[in-house]
Amino acid sequence: MTNKKNKVLVLYAHPSPRRSEVNAPMYRDACNIQGVTVVDLYSEYPTYHIDIDREQKRLVEHDVVVFQFPLYWYSTPSILKEWQDLVLEYGFAYGQDGTSLVGKPFFCAISAGGKEEAYQTDGYNHFTIRELLQPLEQMANLTGFIYLPPLVLFGSRTAKEEHRISKHREQWKALLTSLVNDEFDIQIAKPLDKLNHYWPKDSEQSL
């Protein structure tokens, strides 16, 4: 444990937040954690006119970056793709002088409608979550982010009636708090397939 405090940036993208049973509560949780900045991209940019300078400034000012979104057609909601296309410019995020993001941890916090067994090589969707997110992993590799496995809630369509959301939210809050407090062990987390399996250092219980 150190006395260092990190600034965590959560970029939240949900096109129908009023219908959200998982991501909207997680968004509110993140808003209540000191040291975490949460940006609701659809609310802030309803016409998709993204302020590139402001978004780049946010990236520079924060130590950790998180994409939070529901999985839509095996990818991100459209505004997150627009954000990447515009904000991660040559000379800022990659290229000879594009070193602004180097060394910053990055991961996705996502919900998926299908059950976990559907996201396997021999399952309904034919690929694992980590495989489906490989375009984001390669984005991280190109820009110098430290890519971490995703935090995932599977079976989100039935999570509320199955009483699984509260536990997931507690893990989410604990994860964000550990990142802010510089207690997160990147070396433990990196080889995992999901951050759901992350075990904090010197702890007998997972987040």
Side-chain angles (χ1 to χ4, degrees):
M1 184 183 300
T2 71
N3 293 322
K4 179 186 175 184
K5 294 290 184 180
N6 291 316
K7 295 179 66 176
V8 178
L9 176 64
V10 176
L11 297 172
Y12 170 64
H14 198 304
S16 303
R18 289 180 294 179
R19 296 177 179 268
S20 173
E21 296 178 340
V22 177
N23 284 281
M26 290 173 62
Y27 164 81
R28 293 191 293 269
D29 290 334
C31 288
N32 289 323
I33 298 176
Q34 187 173 5
V36 177
T37 302
V38 189
V39 179
D40 182 343
L41 291 176
Y42 276 103
S43 176
E44 194 149 328
Y45 302 113
T47 60
Y48 280 59
H49 291 162
I50 293 174
D51 187 330
I52 297 172
D53 291 336
R54 177 166 58 180
E55 295 305 310
Q56 290 182 348
K57 186 172 185 289
R58 281 172 170 158
L59 288 171
V60 170
E61 291 176 346
H62 288 79
D63 306 294
V64 182
V65 179
V66 183
F67 284 3
Q68 187 207 336
F69 60 94
L71 194 67
Y72 271 36
W73 286 103
Y74 310 109
S75 184
T76 69
S78 58
I79 200 166
L80 262 178
K81 181 60 169 64
E82 180 78 352
W83 183 95
Q84 292 175 74
D85 291 346
L86 297 177
V87 176
L88 303 181
E89 291 181 314
Y90 180 86
F92 170 78
Y94 69 102
Q96 183 174 352
D97 299 315
T99 59
S100 300
L101 307 179
V102 173
K104 296 176 186 280
F106 165 83
F107 71 94
C108 297
I110 67 176
S111 60
K115 295 183 178 180
E116 186 168 8
E117 54 266 29
Y119 293 91
Q120 305 296 332
T121 302
D122 57 354
Y124 180 81
N125 293 310
H126 305 297
F127 298 96
T128 67
I129 281 290
R130 182 135 188 182
E131 288 170 338
L132 290 170
L133 294 177
Q134 282 180 347
L136 290 171
E137 184 168 359
Q138 181 55 20
M139 176 273 288
N141 291 336
L142 182 63
T143 59
F145 274 132
I146 299 173
Y147 184 80
L148 299 173
L151 178 72
V152 188
L153 179 67
F154 292 103
S156 60
R157 295 189 187 94
T158 57
K160 185 176 181 178
E161 51 263 42
E162 292 169 356
H163 308 290
R164 292 187 287 113
I165 297 177
S166 294
K167 181 179 179 181
H168 187 74
R169 288 173 63 187
E170 289 304 314
Q171 185 173 25
W172 166 241
K173 289 186 286 186
L175 180 61
L176 291 177
T177 301
S178 72
L179 287 162
V180 169
N181 292 332
D182 200 35
E183 297 169 351
F184 185 87
D185 194 318
I186 289 174
Q187 298 311 312
I188 289 177
K190 282 181 70 174
L192 302 175
D193 61 339
K194 296 184 294 294
L195 282 182
N196 307 61
H197 299 152
Y198 172 72
W199 288 70
K201 194 172 182 180
D202 301 324
S203 173
E204 295 180 357
Q205 294 184 342
S206 61
L207 282 174

